[in-house]
Amino acid sequence: MSVKLYSYEEVAKHNNRNDLWMIIDGKVYDITKFQDEHPGGEEVLIDEGAKDATGPFEDVGHSEDARDILKKYYIGDVDPTSKPIKVAKQAEQFATSGAQGNPLRILIPLALLAAWVYFKFIR
């Protein structure tokens, strides 16, 4: 069975919450379905997605269990003739979608805090 090769440019196209790839140690992973399961939260995956995340992955010191989980998302290798490209910061691309762009994300906790203060101290 031959291994599918992907260029850095191809990986960079998979750069959103609904379609997110990542490169670690020259291998390409489709981590789209893993985002909700990631113990460190989806934000770190979104920030490091669509590019080579080997450095950040190693810096965290992932366990052998984490490396075993990663195998499940393997889809191919980086084409050795491909050259890395600059990828825009992912957090900026996602800031307008989902909960991050929703003002209720801040207003609801503030309303709950105000209600708690009212009932605890003012009433």
Side-chain angles (χ1 to χ4, degrees):
M1 184 169 100
S2 67
V3 173
K4 176 84 170 139
L5 296 179
Y6 297 96
S7 68
Y8 284 95
E9 190 172 271
E10 176 67 19
V11 172
K13 292 177 186 176
H14 300 272
N15 61 3
N16 66 68
R17 173 132 177 58
N18 298 319
D19 181 23
L20 189 61
W21 290 10
M22 177 181 284
I23 300 168
I24 299 174
D25 291 327
K27 298 188 180 310
V28 180
Y29 300 92
D30 181 347
I31 57 168
T32 308
K33 294 179 181 175
F34 181 64
Q35 292 174 76
D36 292 331
E37 300 170 28
H38 187 251
E42 69 182 9
E43 292 82 15
V44 68
L45 296 179
I46 290 169
D47 284 345
E48 298 301 331
K51 61 186 174 193
D52 190 335
T54 303
F57 182 85
E58 296 298 338
D59 288 347
V60 171
H62 283 90
S63 67
E64 284 302 313
D65 289 341
R67 293 172 193 280
D68 286 341
I69 291 169
L70 193 58
K71 293 175 186 175
K72 179 165 93 171
Y73 300 98
Y74 172 77
I75 58 171
D77 288 350
V78 174
D79 184 342
T81 64
S82 173
K83 300 213 185 291
I85 62 171
K86 179 142 175 88
V87 176
K89 185 169 176 158
Q90 301 303 316
E92 294 168 5
Q93 292 181 2
F94 294 105
T96 58
S97 66
Q100 291 179 358
N102 189 342
L104 293 177
R105 184 182 112 209
I106 294 174
L107 293 177
I108 291 173
L110 286 176
L112 292 171
L113 178 63
W116 178 80
V117 168
Y118 174 77
F119 285 105
K120 182 79 173 173
F121 299 107
I122 299 174
R123 197 177 79 142

